[in-house]
Amino acid sequence: QVTGYLDDCTCDVETIDAFNNYKLFPRLNELLQSDYFRYYKVTVVAPQTFPRDGAEGSHLPHRWHLLCFVFQDEVPDGIRAGSYKYSEEANSLAEECEEAKRLGAVDDSLSKETRQAVLQWAQHDDSSDSFCEADDIHSPDAEYVDLLLNPERYTGYKGPDAWKIWNSIYEENCFKPQNVKRPLASGRGESFICLTKWVSRVCVEKRAFYRLISGLHASINIHLSARYLLQDSWSEKKWGPNVTEFQQRFDEVLTNGEGPRRLKNLYFLYLIELRALSKVLPFFERPGFQLYTGNESQDAEMKHLLLEILHLAKSFPLHFDENSFFAGNKKEAAKLKEEFRLHFKNISKIMDCVGCFKCRLWGKLQTQGLGTALKILFSENLIEKIPESGPSYGFQLTRQEIVALFNAFGR
């Protein structure tokens, strides 16, 4: 059902599949297992109050608000080179999380060695001209989590609150006029008719923005369907593919033709983020840039792998032509670019209202990753002016943005 060329692109589904599955993803997956890319900082306080309409069932179960903490009075030295292991206490708490059925809780357990390492990373970033601080990095409510301990999968988070999140994102942030029906009012049927006509009429930039959000939504739904909780008993929890769940969201017949469009929007999202990786190569190629964890040999090895991935991304034969973005009047282009930025900022705030901590973690990470990709595409002139050595004052990426960019693309 999903084949052939993509709208607004010269690329086709088959070319992307072959390039990703056999060339890029195996290398990217190896990179995302490394210490630099597996730790992401996220706010772990209770979710913001989301505007409610008084509908029954809108209150979250208590278990969505539970976290597994490791309380450490002192943080001793360094990362253990090449043989990272979780502390006994951390492993114990991870098991308790599963046993207590805290499916939506973020496991934020880190070994003592890793807690010291992330402090060193922060100090390195603060002293480096290559990075600027992210807004919430130093918030007392922000904690590092291990993404490998917190895979993106089904947690049971659904119902009115989950629908409100996506409805709000589509209604308020996709440049959609009020008379166009919301895309998520129902799972099928008439709600998509006006939307499809609207998407075909708007300018390429606004159409692309909608398709990016739709692609992000599709990506999240695919992962929830692929790692669904198939068995939940006191003796065993088993995750695996749920074909029925996938079909309800993407089957052409069950969605009145909308499902394949959603999947094509995922391919469109892939092309945008792939193009961003190909464009940002000069930033990472500089000799002074490090994937700093304190382990020099591992850092050098991961930078070599990172550059290999970026050169591979650049070699892709059918890249999206971002020159069609903001190609008209400079004032109008600047205005639209600022609108994009504000919309993404607002979407990030909406993600703060997600009641399930793991869902919020991956929602925020992928939103920031996509926002970083657009930041790169909008900054092409600045990236071209980056000196081969010395600091890059015109264009900056924080460690948080780098981790989000590559993990979002990995999703």
Side-chain angles (χ1 to χ4, degrees):
Q1 295 176 1
V2 182
T3 185
Y5 286 94
L6 303 170
D7 296 335
D8 298 321
C9 303
T10 59
C11 190
D12 59 271
V13 167
E14 289 75 15
T15 299
I16 296 174
D17 281 342
F19 176 79
N20 179 73
N21 297 348
Y22 299 109
K23 293 183 178 181
L24 193 145
F25 183 71
R27 294 175 173 87
L28 178 62
N29 196 42
E30 180 183 351
L31 184 75
L32 297 181
Q33 307 293 313
S34 68
D35 285 344
Y36 186 91
F37 288 96
R38 67 190 292 178
Y39 298 109
Y40 181 72
K41 207 166 191 181
V42 67
T43 302
V44 294
V45 296
Q48 298 179 14
T49 301
F50 195 82
R52 303 185 185 275
D53 57 11
E56 291 185 13
S58 62
H59 296 286
L60 292 166
H62 179 66
R63 64 187 172 120
W64 301 125
H65 299 280
L66 298 177
L67 289 172
C68 294
F69 289 99
V70 176
F71 297 101
Q72 309 275 355
D73 294 330
E74 295 182 356
V75 184
D77 297 334
I79 287 183
R80 193 175 299 163
S83 60
Y84 170 80
K85 295 181 180 179
Y86 296 110
S87 67
E88 182 178 350
E89 183 181 4
N91 282 323
S92 174
L93 280 171
E95 293 171 1
E96 289 177 10
C97 275
E98 293 299 321
E99 292 171 1
K101 298 184 180 180
R102 298 175 183 177
L103 301 177
V106 172
D107 183 345
D108 71 334
S109 55
L110 302 179
S111 70
K112 293 180 180 180
E113 293 84 1
T114 303
R115 285 184 175 269
Q116 178 62 28
V118 295
L119 289 176
Q120 294 175 350
W121 298 347
Q123 293 167 2
H124 177 270
D125 288 354
D126 290 346
S127 63
S128 171
D129 290 327
S130 299
F131 298 98
C132 58
E133 292 182 7
D135 291 339
D136 64 345
I137 285 297
H138 299 296
S139 166
D141 296 320
E143 294 282 351
Y144 280 102
V145 297
D146 185 339
L147 297 175
L148 300 185
L149 272 186
N150 296 279
E152 185 183 19
R153 63 188 180 189
Y154 177 80
T155 66
Y157 180 63
K158 57 185 178 180
D161 277 294
W163 283 107
K164 279 184 180 180
I165 295 294
W166 285 108
N167 276 337
S168 182
I169 288 173
Y170 281 109
E171 286 281 356
E172 300 172 18
N173 297 283
C174 283
F175 301 98
K176 186 176 66 60
Q178 291 296 320
N179 61 341
V180 174
K181 295 180 180 179
R182 66 177 62 185
L184 293 177
S186 65
R188 64 186 77 180
E190 297 177 356
S191 60
F192 294 104
I193 296 175
C194 293
L195 181 69
T196 303
K197 292 180 179 179
W198 167 77
V199 168
S200 65
R201 291 198 306 263
V202 299
C203 69
V204 64
E205 294 90 353
K206 292 183 178 180
R207 183 164 64 245
F209 191 97
Y210 167 78
R211 296 186 67 194
L212 291 174
I213 299 303
S214 174
L216 173 62
H217 193 186
S219 174
I220 292 173
N221 282 334
I222 288 170
H223 284 92
L224 301 187
S225 301
R227 289 186 169 187
Y228 203 86
L229 185 61
L230 301 178
Q231 180 177 337
D232 184 9
S233 65
W234 67 272
S235 60
E236 183 182 10
K237 286 180 175 60
K238 181 181 179 181
W239 275 267
N242 185 327
V243 176
T244 301
E245 188 73 19
F246 181 85
Q247 289 175 328
Q248 288 176 349
R249 299 171 187 269
F250 298 107
D251 180 81
E252 185 171 22
V253 175
L254 295 178
T255 62
N256 278 1
E258 188 63 23
R261 290 193 190 95
R262 296 171 184 167
L263 293 175
K264 282 197 170 185
N265 288 340
L266 174 62
Y267 281 90
F268 181 75
L269 170 65
Y270 181 95
L271 282 178
I272 292 292
E273 295 191 356
L274 180 69
R275 184 58 166 168
L277 293 184
S278 72
K279 290 289 185 179
V280 80
L281 176 61
F283 177 81
F284 292 104
E285 273 188 321
R286 293 169 301 138
F289 176 83
Q290 301 178 58
L291 294 175
Y292 180 81
T293 68
N295 182 338
E296 291 186 8
S297 60
Q298 189 180 78
D299 291 347
E301 181 182 350
M302 287 302 106
K303 181 175 179 180
H304 178 78
L305 179 59
L306 172 70
L307 293 180
E308 182 182 349
I309 291 169
L310 294 179
H311 279 286
L312 188 59
K314 192 171 183 178
S315 73
F316 184 70
L318 296 172
H319 270 296
F320 176 79
D321 182 11
E322 75 282 0
N323 290 325
S324 60
F325 274 15
F326 314 112
N329 180 278
K330 287 187 176 181
K331 287 186 178 180
E332 289 299 316
K335 179 182 177 182
L336 197 54
K337 177 181 174 180
E338 178 64 9
E339 284 188 75
F340 267 49
R341 190 186 70 83
L342 293 176
H343 278 285
F344 262 93
K345 186 176 181 180
N346 195 45
I347 290 173
S348 181
K349 289 180 179 178
I350 293 174
M351 289 295 181
D352 281 327
C353 301
V354 174
C356 165
F357 281 99
K358 278 184 181 174
C359 304
R360 191 194 324 169
L361 164 66
W362 286 104
K364 287 176 69 71
L365 180 144
Q366 292 177 79
T367 300
Q368 184 177 27
L370 176 52
T372 303
L374 290 177
K375 171 182 174 179
I376 292 168
L377 294 180
F378 293 153
S379 304
E380 182 176 5
N381 292 336
L382 295 175
I383 295 174
E384 290 176 350
K385 297 176 182 177
I386 292 178
E388 293 185 4
S389 60
S392 169
Y393 293 114
F395 176 81
Q396 303 283 354
L397 288 178
T398 67
R399 180 186 172 276
Q400 189 83 343
E401 288 174 317
I402 294 170
V403 172
L405 173 67
F406 282 89
N407 274 282
F409 187 61
R411 294 287 84 205

